[in-house]
Amino acid sequence: MKMLQTNSTENWVSRDSMPPDFRPGPAVSLADAVAVLAFIRRHLVIMLLTCLAGLGIAILYLIIVVPTFTAKAQLLVNSKLTFADAAALSTVVESQIAIIKSESIANAVIEKLGLAKDPEFATGQGSGMISRLLGWSKPMTEANAARYAVEPFERRLSVKRVGPTYLVEIAFDSRNPDRAAQILNAVAEKYIAHQMDKASLQDEKWVTDRLNELSTQALAAEAALRDYDRNIKTTNAADSADARDRLAAAAESSKNAYDNFRHVLRKAEAAQQQAPPVFEASLITGASPPLRASWPKPRIVLGVAIVAGLLLGLAIGIVRDLSDRIRTSGQTIGPSAEDGRIERPLPNGIRRDHQLEASAEPKPVRLTSSG
């Protein structure tokens, strides 16, 4: 038995002798827990009142705020080209996202659906009332109304890429769920139409300019030949014949160039219609009216209100405790109101209980006799 006690004593390692890395961390003491409970008990009414106030404000916000509905759709930006790396693919998809969010698409949708007259998008027109009264703003026209509608339109439209794919998700926020789906489908339609007409839009100006140039040259050569035949002189027949041959050859060459260009252009248009497009886009999932509002969400609003109310109550409680401590520590011992004497603290060597014992000792009584 004694051997066991000796071994247990030797195997015991004191907590103070343990290395710092192996010492357990400080735990919450019972006094700290009691202090926290006492703090909550003292300020429980304040915290409940702040929570109720926060809930009241949140409920009032949910009643007043106009709900927002978000419609969503997905586009497939399908490229027929092959890319060497993911960076080139990402660049192409980001370029298409920029086209969807461009002002040209917004103007086309605003013009098609008449959003310039919609109060939801015409809110910016009334913000310059003072400027209009002072003459600082231009008079309202249909073009200005459309420009005012572009800013809220672009703010409500969001476009993002779905992972490392060709899929692009577009979303639109509106107070009316049917209106949100209608606008989003119009955006997809205008974007797809823009992609289909992109090649013809790029080449249209050059083709028109070239046709006009060749036509002008052919007409000028024919007019020069007619003028020469009208004003020809018979005095020098050999020189006249040579000049007329040159003018006739120039007129024929200009006409052949114009005809050949038109023939090549028709063949190119036919081949382009038969060949698949190099870059195409398609609507994978059309937008439908959302069933629930995307904002506000009652659970999130009420939860934030409760947490904010608790934090506000704790802050008020802490401030009250600090003010009480400052007021208590700031009080000084002043003169007594009864006898005007100044009370001073006892010396450190004299204890309070000794003073009480000394005052409790009986005092001698002096007796006197009348005789």
Side-chain angles (χ1 to χ4, degrees):
M1 186 69 181
K2 186 176 181 180
M3 184 180 295
L4 292 176
Q5 292 179 353
T6 304
N7 293 336
S8 61
T9 304
E10 293 176 354
N11 293 332
W12 174 259
V13 179
S14 176
R15 180 175 179 176
D16 297 334
S17 62
M18 294 176 63
D21 298 338
F22 295 95
R23 292 180 183 177
V28 178
S29 63
L30 181 60
D32 295 337
V34 172
V36 172
L37 293 177
F39 175 83
I40 295 175
R41 189 182 299 110
R42 287 196 307 271
H43 306 288
L44 181 60
V45 177
I46 296 176
M47 289 188 289
L48 290 177
L49 290 177
T50 53
C51 285
L52 290 176
L55 285 176
I57 296 174
I59 293 173
L60 183 63
Y61 171 78
L62 293 175
I63 294 174
I64 294 176
V65 71
V66 179
T68 301
F69 297 88
T70 303
K72 295 182 179 181
Q74 283 188 348
L75 284 169
L76 177 62
V77 183
N78 187 13
S79 176
K80 300 296 183 181
L81 301 176
T82 57
F83 300 97
D85 53 359
L89 173 61
S90 178
T91 302
V92 171
V93 177
E94 292 296 332
S95 301
Q96 300 307 307
I97 290 176
I99 293 175
I100 297 173
K101 298 175 66 177
S102 64
E103 188 173 348
S104 60
I105 299 295
N107 288 326
V109 176
I110 291 171
E111 182 180 358
K112 178 182 178 181
L113 301 180
L115 299 181
K117 300 179 181 178
D118 194 334
E120 187 175 358
F121 299 92
T123 54
Q125 301 179 17
S127 61
M129 184 178 299
I130 299 177
S131 300
R132 289 198 301 271
L133 292 176
L134 297 177
W136 295 346
S137 63
K138 298 180 180 179
M140 182 57 60
T141 60
E142 186 176 355
N144 290 340
R147 292 183 62 185
Y148 274 116
V150 170
E151 183 178 355
F153 183 92
E154 293 179 345
R155 187 170 59 250
R156 296 168 183 268
L157 178 64
S158 61
V159 187
K160 65 178 181 178
R161 184 183 180 187
V162 182
T165 63
Y166 288 102
L167 286 177
V168 174
E169 181 181 270
I170 56 178
F172 196 86
D173 299 332
S174 178
R175 301 173 184 174
N176 190 343
D178 297 331
R179 193 67 161 171
Q182 181 186 17
I183 293 173
L184 199 57
N185 288 326
V187 170
E189 177 185 350
K190 290 298 181 181
Y191 167 71
I192 293 174
H194 177 272
Q195 290 301 103
M196 292 177 63
D197 298 338
K198 183 174 64 174
S200 59
L201 289 174
Q202 292 176 349
D203 299 336
E204 182 178 1
K205 187 178 184 302
W206 181 83
V207 171
T208 303
D209 293 342
R210 184 58 178 168
L211 280 175
N212 292 333
E213 181 183 356
L214 293 176
S215 177
T216 301
Q217 291 177 0
L219 292 175
E222 291 179 0
L225 181 60
R226 287 195 301 269
D227 292 341
Y228 184 83
D229 290 339
R230 189 181 302 112
N231 301 324
I232 189 173
K233 295 180 180 180
T234 58
T235 55
N236 193 350
D239 294 341
S240 299
D242 187 39
R244 188 184 185 285
D245 291 339
R246 289 198 301 270
L247 290 175
E252 185 68 19
S253 176
S254 300
K255 185 177 181 301
N256 291 335
Y258 177 76
D259 292 339
N260 291 334
F261 184 79
R262 288 181 59 86
H263 178 69
V264 172
L265 182 61
R266 285 194 296 267
K267 290 180 64 176
E269 290 178 352
Q272 185 178 6
Q273 292 178 358
Q274 295 178 1
V278 177
F279 203 97
E280 63 180 7
S282 58
L283 184 62
I284 301 300
T285 305
S288 57
L291 301 178
R292 298 180 182 85
S294 58
W295 186 261
K297 296 182 179 180
R299 293 183 179 179
I300 296 178
V301 174
L302 295 176
V304 171
I306 293 174
V307 173
L310 287 175
L311 293 177
L312 180 60
L314 290 173
I316 294 174
I318 293 172
V319 171
R320 290 187 61 183
D321 285 354
L322 290 177
S323 62
D324 292 342
R325 291 181 182 179
I326 294 173
R327 185 169 58 253
T328 303
S329 61
Q331 292 178 352
T332 57
I333 301 176
S336 176
E338 296 179 356
D339 52 5
R341 294 177 299 176
I342 298 177
E343 297 181 357
R344 294 183 176 85
L346 295 174
N348 295 332
I350 303 176
R351 296 194 313 178
R352 183 69 177 174
D353 51 357
H354 291 173
Q355 183 186 12
L356 293 177
E357 292 177 0
S359 62
E361 292 180 356
K363 295 181 178 180
V365 179
R366 185 176 183 181
L367 301 177
T368 60
S369 63
S370 60

